[in-house]
Amino acid sequence: MAIIEVSKLKKSFGNLDVLKQITFDVNKNDVVAVIGPSGSGKSTMLRSLVHLEKIDGGSIMVAGDNLVKNGVYSKPQEIRRVTSRMGMVFQHFNLFPHLTVKDNLEMAPRLVKKESAKELSSRSMVLLEKVGLADKASAYPANLSGGQKQRVAIARALMMNPDIMLFDEPTSALDPELTGEVLQVMKDLAEEHMTMIVVTHEMGFAREVANRVLFMDNGEILESGTPQELFDHPKFDRTKVFLKRSLK
Amino acid sequence: MSLDYFTSILKPMLQGSQMTILLFFISIVLSIPLGFLLTLAVNSRFKPLSWLAQAYIYIMRGTPLLLQLLIICFGLPMIPGIGQYLVLDRFTAACIGFILNYAAYFAEIFRGGLLAIDKGQYEAAQVLGLNKFQTTTRIILPQMFRIAIPALANESVTLVKDTALLYAVAVPELLHYAETAVNRDFTIFPFFVAGAIYLIMTLVLTLIFKWIERRFTFE
Ligand SMILES: Nc1ncnc2c1ncn2[C@@H]1O[C@H](COP(=O)(O)OP(=O)(O)OP(=O)(O)O)[C@@H](O)[C@H]1O
Ligand SMILES: [Mg+2]
């Protein structure tokens, strides 16, 4: 069952067409890896889903509700409702530096969902436990390593109970020895059947964890398939060239 | 040089310092909030308000504080018709001048703080469902103030020294008494005393800001 349906998504910056009529579905419990060369529009596509970019045409539907239909956006309240189903993890974490780890997790649900302090506190501790950072609850982001920051960012997104998690190159800003701990958390999430879209350069992760891979090139989804199909039997030369370069 | 002489010049100078300190406190307590409002006005989506605030800041920073003080103290009363209602007690007039002038500088400092905040902060807040108001008050402003602290400290030290401009509008303050003593006694010593008093004031201020800075270091 499709939980995200994107059709004919168009987006340009000035006269640069960044996304050219992109169409794809994501099923519930899918883990979709999005790969492709730099500048191919991966981030723009992901950001469009949570309304961080405004698209110029096409439709985006999440869990049966339209974020935008044939280029026309829903009402602000509806937009909020649709985007609230998705959590987003950024390459550069974007933690709130003036808040402790615990407050980073609790602020949004406190303000947006008006949850009680007690409930929030127990939920945030459960999630910190899950990402292995219970002992950092009262630390500030400045005192965490990159890998720890990203795990906090994942926990922060999960606090809003999203149905879908979006990741934009979650390990690209990390030292190589810190990527493992973040990928492990994402792997755990996948095993709990979280629906995930992961833009990544980690081909190992894409092959091992994703059940579907999209290859984007020049504003289009050139091909998609299971990891086996895409990595072992790519159809297009451009895919082959890209894979050859990134598997080195 | 006797201790008696020292205390005899110190007493009026300390009295003069009270004016200095009073002016400082009134100015800083009112110009920081006013500067903050100016920053909000500059960033307002209502363009005329933004232009007005920008013009105000440009004029206040582009002309000497001394000129502004002279206009408020001596210029306003000369305006035909309404001038008679604009005769202010000179200390009050000076306070108004300092507040209006320093607000412009503080506004620029806050604006710099806003510019220094990464756009990822707004994006993270948006994706977490915070509305514009929540994002501003909970995420952006606390960081803006934190970033602004060192520059605020710097500007406050300048303010302490600028209080000497009271001299020009003939409000008796620290420097005035120092000069009186210098002229009367033909010694430069009172100027050094005045210098020492300014140093003590700026030192205390610097320490206070260091404390605030530490208090708001999120580590
Ligand atoms: N705000 C913007 N204004 C103008 N051009 C933009 C903007 N954001 C992205 N672009 C351009 O759109 C194109 C696609 O960018 P996007 O960030 O989506 O690519 P990407 O596939 O995520 O690349 P990378 O792997 O480097 O992250 C690039 O050419 C980029 O320069
Ligand atoms: Mg990108």
Side-chain angles (χ1 to χ4, degrees), chain B residues 102-213:
Chain B
Y102 268 83
Y105 283 93
F106 288 133
E108 279 299 280
I109 290 173
F110 289 136
R111 201 174 64 86
L114 281 183
L115 289 176
I117 296 172
D118 188 80
K119 83 175 194 328
Q121 294 289 305
Y122 296 87
E123 294 184 347
Q126 184 190 324
V127 170
L128 287 167
L130 270 58
N131 62 32
K132 286 250 162 60
F133 181 77
Q134 292 164 335
T135 303
T136 306
T137 54
R138 305 301 185 110
I139 307 298
I140 303 306
L141 295 186
Q143 294 186 53
M144 179 199 79
F145 280 110
R146 175 60 191 87
I147 295 167
I149 292 171
L152 289 178
N154 213 6
E155 207 54 43
S156 305
V157 168
T158 307
L159 174 55
V160 169
K161 294 180 293 180
D162 272 357
T163 57
L165 289 171
L166 279 178
Y167 180 89
V169 291
V171 176
E173 46 67 75
L174 174 53
L175 207 56
H176 164 83
Y177 290 107
E179 204 205 11
T180 308
V182 166
N183 288 336
R184 184 186 61 214
D185 307 331
F186 287 105
T187 161
I188 199 172
F189 181 65
F191 278 156
F192 287 117
V193 176
I197 294 175
Y198 279 116
L199 281 176
I200 291 168
M201 290 193 288
T202 50
L203 176 66
V204 170
L205 194 62
T206 305
L207 291 176
I208 291 172
F209 269 105
K210 279 270 176 282
W211 178 81
I212 295 176
E213 206 174 317

Side-chain angles (χ1 to χ4, degrees), chain B:
Chain B
M1 182 136 0
S2 69
L3 192 63
D4 279 353
Y5 176 70
F6 179 66
T7 42
S8 78
I9 60 163
L10 191 62
K11 223 173 128 200
M13 282 168 73
L14 286 179
Q15 254 163 25
S17 309
Q18 285 176 13
M19 273 299 183
T20 300
I21 292 168
L22 190 63
L23 174 66
F24 172 80
F25 272 109
I26 292 174
S27 302
I28 199 141
V29 166
L30 293 175
S31 59
I32 288 183
L34 185 60
F36 176 59
L37 291 179
L38 274 172
T39 308
L40 295 185
V42 167
N43 284 297
S44 163
R45 256 180 298 176
F46 181 57
K47 284 297 157 201
L49 180 64
S50 171
W51 292 329
L52 205 65
Q54 288 177 47
Y56 175 86
I57 291 170
Y58 174 68
I59 291 168
M60 282 308 190
R61 294 173 73 225
T63 57
L65 174 55
L66 180 55
L67 175 63
Q68 295 162 20
L69 291 177
L70 291 174
I71 287 175
I72 294 171
C73 285
F74 307 118
L76 293 186
M78 292 180 190
I79 300 175
I82 57 167
Q84 55 181 314
Y85 305 109
L86 298 174
V87 183
L88 297 167
D89 155 55
R90 279 203 299 271
F91 181 73
T92 311
C95 284
I96 293 173
F98 271 85
I99 293 164
L100 295 180
N101 177 272
Y102 268 83
Y105 283 93
F106 288 133
E108 279 299 280
I109 290 173
F110 289 136
R111 201 174 64 86
L114 281 183
L115 289 176
I117 296 172
D118 188 80
K119 83 175 194 328
Q121 294 289 305
Y122 296 87
E123 294 184 347
Q126 184 190 324
V127 170
L128 287 167
L130 270 58
N131 62 32
K132 286 250 162 60
F133 181 77
Q134 292 164 335
T135 303
T136 306
T137 54
R138 305 301 185 110
I139 307 298
I140 303 306
L141 295 186
Q143 294 186 53
M144 179 199 79
F145 280 110
R146 175 60 191 87
I147 295 167
I149 292 171
L152 289 178
N154 213 6
E155 207 54 43
S156 305
V157 168
T158 307
L159 174 55
V160 169
K161 294 180 293 180
D162 272 357
T163 57
L165 289 171
L166 279 178
Y167 180 89
V169 291
V171 176
E173 46 67 75
L174 174 53
L175 207 56
H176 164 83
Y177 290 107
E179 204 205 11
T180 308
V182 166
N183 288 336
R184 184 186 61 214
D185 307 331
F186 287 105
T187 161
I188 199 172
F189 181 65
F191 278 156
F192 287 117
V193 176
I197 294 175
Y198 279 116
L199 281 176
I200 291 168
M201 290 193 288
T202 50
L203 176 66
V204 170
L205 194 62
T206 305
L207 291 176
I208 291 172
F209 269 105
K210 279 270 176 282
W211 178 81
I212 295 176
E213 206 174 317
R214 261 204 315 277
R215 173 75 185 64
F216 290 97
T217 295
F218 303 109
E219 281 175 15

